[in-house]
Amino acid sequence: MSRPGGKFCRFLSLLAGLLLSSNLAAQEGQIWRKVAPENLVFIGMREGEIVLELNPDFAPVTSARFRDLVREDFYRGLSFYRVIEGFVAQAGTESALPPKPDQQLPPEFERSWDAALNWTPVQTDDLYAARTGFVDGVPAARADGQIWLAHCPGAVAMARDTAPDSGSTDFYIVLGQAPRYLDRNLTIFARVIDGMEVAQRIQRGAAGDNGMITNDLARSRIGRMRLFDQLSAEERREYYVVDTNSEYFRKTLEQRRERRDAFFIQSPPAVLDVCQVPVASRAERVGISRELNPN
Amino acid sequence: MSRPGGKFCRFLSLLAGLLLSSNLAAQEGQIWRKVAPENLVFIGMREGEIVLELNPDFAPVTSARFRDLVREDFYRGLSFYRVIEGFVAQAGTESALPPKPDQQLPPEFERSWDAALNWTPVQTDDLYAARTGFVDGVPAARADGQIWLAHCPGAVAMARDTAPDSGSTDFYIVLGQAPRYLDRNLTIFARVIDGMEVAQRIQRGAAGDNGMITNDLARSRIGRMRLFDQLSAEERREYYVVDTNSEYFRKTLEQRRERRDAFFIQSPPAVLDVCQVPVASRAERVGISRELNPN
């Protein structure tokens, strides 16, 4: 082990920036937002567990449909059939048929800006949008009187065909450098709040095959998905995500933007990539608390 | 399997963008740059193999030192002791001691712009730099008469303490959303050209511990590292990376910037994130060719 403050220890202490450490527990009330249990989805896989927070504020119809699909065990045994390192992992039925009319999901790509939203600004004149920021822990962007969720790593969205309402069941998890050019074109309806390192272990396809894994047996498979109320009493735990509306978070954003530490020989530009700001989460079960990787 | 052109097939075909498919093989001579064998480093791990291309043009001293360390089997059995999902995986000796004077590496953080470099422009007024582009397959940025390699996923750099010349042996691989604020502050000396999906399987540490994995046995370990000339005859293969100076690559950049396909309901801004442009690579062994994931 490195000594605290020792070589290389220092390196990452600085660079990891805003990872929340245990000394923040005291201020917990001001820092953490509890995730509504009905918005939790638990994806169980051989590779581990991925936990999602649904976002009914931005994708009410898609979130409700996904919740129904999870409850009826629709995804059991389905696989991640198309997975591209540095891009996305896509799972579902892999059906070549268009969805039945009653299964089509309406586009929930963006919504009108609403001053009642909990907007925490991060950056203006980002490469892709006039403004970026967080809404209740989720990276988002704004322009033209519209607001939308951003395709950052950990975003979960519905796949679709060319028609905007052709999404139905198949979804993807953003794995790599944010493909922000997809923003406003697909419905982001959830975010990975735990187990992003599990998503990173999903079996990749070959680039030459556009990520398609033709051998079904070689794919990473969804064992099952469950909602909070489908967990047994001892499996249940509460999730907390950093409250991006808090004064604490706004201060950490400023520190991250400024980087005044002596480590920096060249001062970095005072800018922030909204997809490069960690938003920590933690789980609690019967008084047991553990901190989780941000994503 | 999806039918070609079928639902969801279409989705990723579009989105994956520039992944090179086999129909390009015919134009091979114009598309691929052969990696100099002396710049190849093979990291063997239980998780799989990661292949690096050293960059002596930008980091001559660090590349030469790294090559020496690999040749003398310095890294055998050392581990990735600090790993943060979405950020970096850091490996080496984990020494808390400053390096001996003869082991200190000089900073090779940036160099003066030189018109003789093979510069392929990607974007102006990126969030972090006046210009971004590629130099011989490697993402880079420019401003103030300087040029430097960018902290995109797959970049490999020397860790250091506060002093700019305090790097010696420990290095990190960028895993997640590009931490571009590190640009010009650390020596990027290589790039992952194969096995980025292996790097994504490296055991993560806990955010609360700043990524430090205190239990040595829980860490992902470097079995050994080898140079090309240390491989047996049947293990040797040649690597090719897309020639980012080619007319082919410049055209694909433009297509990727424009996104005129009917899939896009909202036209994305005509911009490119240099860290979000795939640069494919492939390996060949005795006439056997396979395409690899870009990163």
Side-chain angles (χ1 to χ4, degrees):
Chain A
M1 276 292 299
S2 291
R3 291 173 302 168
K7 183 166 160 56
F8 303 124
C9 220
R10 185 165 175 72
F11 169 66
L12 274 179
S13 304
L14 278 164
L15 304 192
L18 303 195
L19 301 175
L20 295 176
S21 56
S22 50
N23 63 358
L24 295 174
Q27 310 166 49
E28 211 164 282
Q30 307 144 45
I31 292 178
W32 300 99
R33 171 181 62 84
K34 185 180 171 187
V35 177
E38 64 269 25
N39 290 337
L40 289 169
V41 174
F42 300 83
I43 307 179
M45 301 173 64
R46 190 177 59 80
E47 289 79 359
E49 186 179 59
I50 301 171
V51 182
L52 312 183
E53 179 180 11
L54 297 173
N55 198 322
D57 288 344
F58 277 76
V61 179
T62 307
S63 295
R65 171 72 57 80
F66 195 76
R67 202 184 271 126
D68 289 347
L69 290 168
V70 171
R71 185 175 296 287
E72 70 188 40
D73 214 11
F74 176 85
Y75 292 102
R76 179 182 293 269
L78 297 181
S79 59
F80 285 88
Y81 57 86
R82 210 159 198 184
V83 189
I84 298 178
E85 167 52 28
F87 186 43
V88 301
Q90 184 167 325
T93 61
E94 201 191 346
S95 168
L97 303 171
K100 293 173 194 160
D102 68 340
Q103 293 172 345
Q104 286 180 319
L105 287 164
E108 297 178 299
F109 304 161
E110 55 186 336
R111 49 178 284 190
S112 298
W113 165 247
D114 175 351
L117 289 168
N118 288 318
W119 176 255
T120 301
V122 169
Q123 185 64 44
T124 55
D125 296 322
D126 177 282
L127 196 55
Y128 293 90
R131 299 162 187 238
T132 62
F134 286 94
V135 178
D136 299 322
V138 183
R142 292 167 58 187
D144 320 325
Q146 297 292 105
I147 180 166
W148 59 90
L149 303 184
H151 274 81
C152 297
V156 183
M158 274 288 161
R160 66 168 171 88
D161 203 341
T162 307
D165 61 353
S166 55
S168 58
T169 59
D170 289 18
F171 65 95
Y172 59 93
I173 301 173
V174 175
L175 298 176
Q177 184 72 8
R180 295 272 306 279
Y181 60 90
L182 299 177
D183 288 358
R184 312 176 82 174
N185 281 288
L186 291 132
T187 301
I188 295 175
F189 66 94
R191 178 176 162 268
V192 175
I193 58 168
D194 190 11
M196 193 61 201
E197 74 283 7
V198 174
Q200 294 294 7
R201 289 197 291 267
I202 292 171
Q203 176 66 45
R204 269 54 167 167
D209 302 327
N210 207 1
M212 183 67 80
I213 305 172
T214 52
N215 175 8
D216 175 79
L217 299 177
R219 298 176 187 163
S220 293
R221 197 164 292 281
I222 296 170
R224 64 181 172 190
M225 284 202 210
R226 292 184 295 175
L227 301 172
F228 180 83
D229 66 14
Q230 295 177 299
L231 301 181
S232 67
E234 59 270 16
E235 286 172 311
R236 290 185 189 180
R237 66 257 193 207
E238 294 177 331
Y239 270 85
Y240 295 82
V241 173
V242 161
D243 181 0
T244 52
N245 310 312
S246 63
E247 189 54 30
Y248 163 76
F249 187 75
R250 286 170 191 256
K251 276 186 189 159
T252 54
L253 282 178
E254 283 320 300
Q255 287 165 9
R256 194 172 177 87
R257 188 190 308 278
E258 297 299 337
R259 310 243 176 231
R260 294 216 178 85
D261 196 281
F263 181 84
F264 289 92
I265 314 296
Q266 282 269 1
S267 293
V271 295
L272 283 177
D273 170 2
V274 71
C275 293
Q276 215 277 320
V277 175
V279 178
S281 57
R282 66 186 174 89
E284 252 182 44
R285 187 173 64 202
V286 203
I288 297 165
S289 171
R290 67 186 168 106
E291 290 199 3
L292 304 169
N293 278 321
N295 62 66
Chain B
M1 278 290 299
S2 292
R3 292 173 302 169
K7 184 166 161 56
F8 302 125
C9 221
R10 186 166 175 71
F11 169 66
L12 275 179
S13 306
L14 279 164
L15 303 191
L18 301 195
L19 302 175
L20 295 176
S21 55
S22 50
N23 63 357
L24 295 174
Q27 310 166 49
E28 210 164 282
Q30 307 144 47
I31 293 179
W32 300 99
R33 171 181 62 85
K34 184 180 171 185
V35 177
E38 65 269 25
N39 290 336
L40 288 168
V41 174
F42 300 83
I43 307 178
M45 302 174 63
R46 191 177 58 81
E47 289 78 359
E49 187 180 57
I50 301 172
V51 182
L52 311 183
E53 178 181 11
L54 297 173
N55 198 321
D57 289 343
F58 277 77
V61 180
T62 308
S63 295
R65 171 72 58 79
F66 196 75
R67 202 183 273 127
D68 289 346
L69 290 168
V70 171
R71 186 174 297 285
E72 70 189 40
D73 214 12
F74 176 86
Y75 291 103
R76 180 183 291 270
L78 298 182
S79 58
F80 285 88
Y81 56 87
R82 212 160 197 184
V83 189
I84 299 178
E85 166 52 28
F87 185 43
V88 301
Q90 184 168 326
T93 61
E94 201 192 345
S95 168
L97 302 171
K100 294 173 193 158
D102 67 340
Q103 293 172 346
Q104 287 181 319
L105 287 163
E108 299 178 299
F109 303 162
E110 55 185 337
R111 50 178 282 190
S112 298
W113 165 245
D114 175 350
L117 289 169
N118 287 318
W119 176 256
T120 301
V122 169
Q123 184 65 46
T124 55
D125 296 323
D126 177 280
L127 196 54
Y128 293 89
R131 300 161 186 239
T132 62
F134 286 94
V135 178
D136 298 323
V138 183
R142 291 167 57 187
D144 318 327
Q146 296 293 103
I147 180 167
W148 60 90
L149 304 184
H151 273 81
C152 297
V156 183
M158 274 290 161
R160 66 167 172 89
D161 203 342
T162 307
D165 61 354
S166 55
S168 59
T169 59
D170 289 18
F171 65 95
Y172 60 93
I173 301 172
V174 175
L175 299 175
Q177 184 73 10
R180 295 271 307 278
Y181 61 91
L182 300 177
D183 289 359
R184 313 176 80 173
N185 280 288
L186 292 132
T187 301
I188 295 175
F189 65 94
R191 179 176 162 268
V192 175
I193 59 168
D194 190 12
M196 194 60 202
E197 74 282 7
V198 174
Q200 295 294 7
R201 289 198 290 266
I202 292 171
Q203 177 66 44
R204 270 56 169 166
D209 301 327
N210 208 359
M212 184 66 83
I213 305 172
T214 52
N215 175 8
D216 175 78
L217 299 177
R219 299 177 187 162
S220 293
R221 196 163 293 283
I222 295 170
R224 64 180 172 190
M225 284 201 211
R226 290 185 297 174
L227 302 173
F228 179 82
D229 65 15
Q230 296 178 299
L231 301 181
S232 67
E234 57 273 13
E235 286 172 311
R236 289 185 190 182
R237 65 257 193 207
E238 295 177 331
Y239 269 86
Y240 294 83
V241 172
V242 161
D243 180 1
T244 53
N245 310 312
S246 64
E247 190 53 31
Y248 164 77
F249 187 75
R250 287 170 190 255
K251 276 186 189 158
T252 54
L253 283 178
E254 284 320 301
Q255 286 164 9
R256 194 172 176 87
R257 190 190 306 279
E258 297 300 336
R259 309 245 176 231
R260 294 214 178 87
D261 196 281
F263 181 84
F264 288 92
I265 312 298
Q266 283 270 3
S267 294
V271 295
L272 284 177
D273 171 0
V274 72
C275 293
Q276 215 275 319
V277 175
V279 179
S281 58
R282 65 186 174 88
E284 252 184 42
R285 187 174 62 203
V286 202
I288 297 165
S289 173
R290 69 187 167 103
E291 292 200 2
L292 305 168
N293 277 319
N295 62 66

